[in-house]
């Protein structure tokens, strides 16, 4: 027990001697910190809107019978071809205003004909009453009509050309708005299925809308890592304070 007391006393004495021999000293310390700085960034946004009603470059009705549109039986289509002069504009749209007189079942499709050009006139029907031109109740047409129909079907069934398609069962509202940015030639076709009471085109008017692009600037904050030297007070042995390390 006496030995333990002597040991504790010795430890306390050494600690007191060490503490008494330490002094405060200011030492330089390098620290990392962050500052917020700003850089100028240029960006663009859609600006002023322009509108005009389009007159079709071609407009016709084709008395054709086929099953290409949405798997439906079709008897006749209205075809309107348009040129859309929106080069240089970042965004353009077309608005289809439906006729308020339209009744019954109908469907319409909007197609990009850029690089293809407008579809030519449907060939005349000299063989309409020729029995060899029919297969049961289906009119086969002349070779020229069959070629026209094959080319037509290749376009309207291609995902590359189809911009938008809808039937009366899916449509709600009166207007249809479709993005046509980058489109130079446009085709809109509509049809009425068997049993429709519609006697007029489904599309009443077509409006082109395009938008200017405005360039603006904004300040973007970002963090920059920096370093600085500061002084810090530390306890050091007295001989280190006098003589240095």
């Amino acid at each position: 027990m006496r030995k333990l007391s002597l040991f504790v006393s010795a430890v306390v004495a050494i600690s007191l001697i060490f503490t008494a021999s330490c002094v405060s000293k200011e030492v330089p310390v390098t620290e990392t910190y962050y500052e917020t700085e700003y850089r100028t960034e240029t960006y663009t946004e859609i600006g002023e809107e322009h509108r005009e009603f389009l007159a079709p470059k071609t407009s016709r009705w084709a008395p054709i019978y086929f099953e290409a549109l949405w798997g439906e039986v079709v008897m006749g289509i209205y075809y309107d071809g348009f040129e859309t002069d929106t080069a240089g504009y970042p965004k353009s749209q077309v608005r289809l205003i439906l006729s308020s007189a339209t009744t019954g079942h109908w469907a319409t499709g909007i197609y990009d004909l850029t690089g293809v050009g407008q579809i030519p006139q449907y060939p005349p029907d000299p063989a309409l009453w020729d029995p060899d031109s029919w297969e049961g109740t289906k009119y086969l047409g002349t070779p020229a009509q069959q070629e026209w129909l094959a080319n037509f079907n290749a376009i309207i069934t291609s995902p590359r050309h189809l911009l938008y398609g809808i039937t009366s069962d899916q449509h709600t509202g009166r207007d249809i708005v479709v993005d046509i940015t980058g489109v130079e030639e446009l085709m809109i076709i509509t049809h009425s299925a068997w049993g429709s009471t519609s006697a007029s085109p489904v599309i009443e008017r077509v409006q082109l809308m395009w938008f200017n692009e405005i360039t603006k600037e904004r300040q973007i904050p970002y963090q920059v890592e920096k370093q600085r030297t500061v002084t810090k007070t530390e306890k050091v042995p007295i001989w280190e304070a006098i003589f240095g390390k």
Side-chain angles (χ1 to χ4, degrees):
M1 189 69 178
R2 183 178 179 185
K3 289 183 179 181
L4 179 60
S5 298
L6 290 174
F7 175 76
V8 172
S9 300
V11 170
V12 172
I14 292 172
S15 299
L16 291 174
I17 293 172
F18 181 79
T19 303
S21 63
C22 290
V23 296
S24 296
K25 179 183 177 182
E26 290 187 343
V27 295
V29 177
T30 300
E31 67 177 14
T32 300
Y33 68 102
Y34 295 88
E35 282 189 357
T36 299
E37 296 187 0
Y38 294 85
R39 64 173 178 266
T40 301
E41 178 182 86
T42 301
Y43 69 100
T44 58
E45 64 180 30
I46 300 301
E48 185 179 4
E49 176 183 327
H50 303 268
R51 299 188 181 203
E52 69 175 34
F53 286 102
L54 291 178
K57 180 181 178 181
T58 58
S59 184
R60 57 181 71 104
W61 183 76
I64 56 177
Y65 177 99
F66 62 109
E67 300 177 6
L69 294 178
W70 300 279
E72 298 180 359
V73 176
V74 177
M75 182 58 179
I77 61 165
Y78 289 96
Y79 166 97
D80 290 293
F82 300 88
E83 288 184 348
T84 55
D85 185 16
T86 58
Y89 291 95
K91 184 178 179 63
S92 54
Q93 298 174 329
V94 68
R95 181 191 301 274
L96 277 57
I97 301 175
L98 304 186
S99 172
S100 58
T102 298
T103 59
H105 183 71
W106 55 265
T108 187
I110 306 174
Y111 298 86
D112 179 5
L113 297 185
T114 304
V116 176
Q118 298 297 326
I119 294 178
Q121 175 68 47
Y122 181 71
D125 254 340
L128 182 61
W129 306 110
D130 184 353
D132 293 335
S133 299
W134 290 80
E135 183 180 274
T137 59
K138 185 173 182 179
Y139 177 56
L140 301 177
T142 65
Q145 291 170 343
Q146 292 174 14
E147 181 181 1
W148 185 96
L149 189 57
N151 293 333
F152 179 76
N153 281 335
I155 291 175
I156 66 173
T157 58
S158 169
R160 183 173 72 88
H161 294 292
L162 178 63
L163 296 173
Y164 185 81
I166 194 170
T167 67
S168 54
D169 296 334
Q170 301 166 331
H171 180 62
T172 58
R174 187 181 177 196
D175 296 348
I176 297 172
V177 178
V178 179
D179 184 89
I180 59 166
T181 302
V183 176
E184 299 174 2
E185 295 260 3
L186 191 70
M187 175 178 70
I188 300 174
I189 61 173
T190 56
H191 76 82
S192 300
W194 287 114
S196 172
T197 58
S198 177
S200 61
V202 175
I203 308 301
E204 185 176 273
R205 302 184 79 182
V206 176
Q207 186 180 50
L208 179 65
M209 302 179 291
W210 67 100
F211 307 84
N212 287 330
E213 190 174 64
I214 300 174
T215 300
K216 294 184 177 182
E217 291 184 347
R218 58 189 170 198
Q219 297 297 308
I220 305 298
Y222 65 99
Q223 296 292 306
V224 178
E225 182 180 306
K226 295 186 176 182
Q227 290 185 330
R228 60 190 172 195
T229 300
V230 297
T231 56
K232 183 178 180 181
T233 302
E234 293 183 350
K235 290 285 188 179
V236 298
I238 190 169
W239 55 83
E240 182 179 320
I242 297 174
F243 302 106
K245 291 185 179 180

